[in-house]
Amino acid sequence: MNNYAYIIASLPVLCGDFRAGCGPDAEQVLEEIREQLSEKDLKTLDFFLSGFEADNLDAGFYRKALSHGNRFVRGYFTFDLCVRNAKAEFLNRAFGRPDGNDVVRTEEDGDPIEFDEAAELEKVLGLEDILAREKALDALMWDKAVELAIFDYFDMETVLSFVARLKIADRWMKLDEAAGREMFRRIVEEVRGTFKGVESIEKEK
């Protein structure tokens, strides 16, 4: 049986005590989440996590993701696909390769997906500093994860939004511990902000 409220309430604690300098363990956090989910939601979580493995990101995966029953999964990987294809086209232009090289097509006619952040992404891809570019790309993914669950509180969409940010923060813990620790701190603040939003809604009722 799902226990979304308990999961969300536990997240700030699970992310670690930053004032004491303790490094959070993303896998431990994920295991704690798994223990509170139903079999159906576990399958959704596992599918979502598989999208963070580069070897899985082919047309078949994106077709499943874009037609998935969970709204957050659909939205997040639609955005992810747009970002990946935009990066491929940027590199094609930079290296004089044919248009469409390394672009993932999910439909036979190849109709482009509407991508409102295209101009912003183009600026990010043009950054010369590699580390700054990677941080900016992950910032786009982070903001999209927040946006897709902006009106959700205690549901699977909220859990997946957290997991998306957890994976980004965990990546940076390995690349730049200071940056990763700052991201985990930000997650805690954003989760706590969720509770403040719920309290405000309850007071207005």
Side-chain angles (χ1 to χ4, degrees), residues 43-160:
K43 290 180 179 178
T44 297
L45 176 61
D46 287 339
F47 177 81
F48 185 72
L49 288 171
S50 73
F52 290 85
E53 302 294 332
D55 292 343
N56 295 333
L57 299 177
D58 55 16
F61 170 82
Y62 282 110
R63 277 194 291 270
K64 291 178 182 178
L66 271 57
S67 62
H68 197 277
N70 182 275
R71 170 172 50 81
F72 187 90
V73 172
R74 293 195 305 273
Y76 189 83
F77 285 113
T78 295
F79 187 76
D80 182 75
L81 176 61
C82 289
V83 170
R84 289 177 183 276
N85 283 345
K87 287 167 64 176
E89 292 289 27
F90 181 86
L91 292 174
N92 290 339
R93 294 192 298 274
F95 294 104
R97 302 186 306 198
D99 291 344
N101 193 51
D102 291 332
V103 169
V104 177
R105 304 293 187 189
T106 58
E107 302 293 343
E108 292 183 2
D109 57 9
D111 286 343
I113 300 171
E114 185 176 344
F115 185 38
D116 295 335
E117 294 85 353
E120 183 179 0
L121 177 60
E122 190 73 13
K123 292 180 181 178
V124 170
L125 292 174
L127 294 174
E128 294 185 3
D129 184 276
I130 295 176
L131 192 62
R133 184 168 64 239
E134 287 300 308
K135 285 184 177 180
L137 286 170
D138 277 342
L140 287 176
M141 299 305 301
W142 183 294
D143 290 345
K144 178 57 66 172
V146 173
E147 175 190 323
L148 289 170
I150 194 70
F151 297 116
D152 295 285
Y153 295 102
F154 302 128
D155 56 20
M156 191 58 185
E157 283 71 19
T158 307
V159 173
L160 293 176

